[in-house]
Amino acid sequence: MTNIERRDAGLAYISDESIFEEQRVCRKLLQRLNFADRSDFEEINKIVAELLGKSEGAFINPPFYCDYGTHIEVGKNFFANYNCTFLDVAKIKIGDNCLLAPNVAIYTAGHPIHPASRNSTYEYGKEVTIGDNVWIGGNTVVCPGVHIGSNVVIGAGSVVTRDIPDWCIAAGNPCKVIRKITDADRKKLFRDEEIDEEAWNDIVSRMNL
């Protein structure tokens, strides 16, 4: 097997010249994205569409960093804020209506534990999946092989090392479920503050609640 085939099969692989060539293509696109006029939203959208393997109306606030781009699949209405990093050695699949705060890092890449094996330059990638309607708070790290369910909020500064189920708020290092999200949270805005009536009426009319 080639190293590209080994990488894409989730096996140990070495970053050889064929791997670097794929990364060069990505870095040229990142150069365009990260030095684009920040007010030129149309150009940013165009580059993001070129960069990602799959996207539907995704928007990324530069700067943004990844290894390949083609291994990233995002659904409708994806938004990533400033300075996010995706190490997309393996697939990163993200559902619809997902929001990433600044400095979120999603890592699929890893290295052997023992230094003798690690110094061989072999590495690996393990897929990360994130469901629909997920909000990930700033400075969160999502580790290789993690699966985050749908309708989840991850608190800022979390380190997600294990799977997170649907419909919950989770936070911490390591990230753990704090509580379930219920209908009682529909009008919640910030802590005990609720959405004001004008905004709530607009939400009800537009979202068919």
Side-chain angles (χ1 to χ4, degrees):
M1 297 175 71
T2 67
N3 277 301
I4 288 177
E5 290 170 339
R6 293 185 62 83
R7 179 200 65 198
D8 293 348
L11 301 174
Y13 76 98
I14 292 173
S15 288
D16 60 11
E17 185 57 33
S18 64
I19 301 287
F20 291 144
E21 186 55 39
E22 289 187 342
Q23 292 183 359
R24 285 188 187 97
V25 174
C26 178
R27 291 187 185 201
K28 288 177 181 178
L29 286 170
L30 291 175
Q31 183 80 1
R32 287 171 53 200
L33 175 64
N34 291 334
F35 287 89
D37 181 342
R38 296 294 199 270
S39 66
D40 192 344
F41 299 130
E42 291 183 0
E43 178 65 12
I44 291 171
N45 276 329
K46 177 183 174 182
I47 300 169
V48 168
E50 288 183 60
L51 177 67
L52 302 184
K54 179 185 174 184
S55 64
E56 296 183 58
F59 189 83
I60 294 174
N61 262 333
F64 174 76
Y65 307 97
C66 64
D67 285 330
Y68 301 95
T70 52
H71 298 168
I72 301 168
E73 298 182 4
V74 303
K76 299 174 183 177
N77 307 318
F78 173 78
F79 174 75
N81 219 323
Y82 306 105
N83 209 44
C84 288
T85 299
F86 289 11
L87 298 187
D88 57 324
V89 169
K91 285 283 188 182
I92 295 174
K93 296 181 180 180
I94 301 175
D96 295 339
N97 307 310
C98 289
L99 307 175
L100 273 57
N103 301 305
V104 168
I106 300 177
Y107 302 151
T108 69
H111 303 272
I113 295 297
H114 195 283
S117 302
R118 191 165 60 249
N119 292 342
S120 70
T121 73
Y122 272 96
E123 54 188 300
Y124 65 85
K126 297 299 177 183
E127 182 178 280
V128 168
T129 63
I130 297 171
D132 298 330
N133 310 310
V134 174
W135 173 26
I136 300 181
N139 295 294
T140 291
V141 174
V142 180
C143 293
V146 163
H147 302 279
I148 296 174
S150 294
N151 309 304
V152 168
V153 175
I154 303 292
S158 296
V159 179
V160 189
T161 60
R162 303 287 182 184
D163 294 355
I164 302 296
D166 296 347
W167 286 102
C168 67
I169 297 171
N173 181 6
C175 187
K176 295 180 180 179
V177 173
I178 296 173
R179 67 174 179 86
K180 298 292 287 184
I181 295 172
T182 70
D183 279 349
D185 293 302
R186 281 181 179 268
K187 292 188 72 173
K188 292 289 186 183
L189 183 65
F190 177 70
R191 295 180 181 170
D192 294 329
E193 182 181 346
E194 293 192 340
I195 299 167
D196 66 273
E197 285 305 310
E198 181 180 2
W200 179 247
N201 290 334
D202 179 56
I203 291 169
V204 169
S205 65
R206 289 194 297 108
M207 307 304 292
N208 296 317
L209 296 180

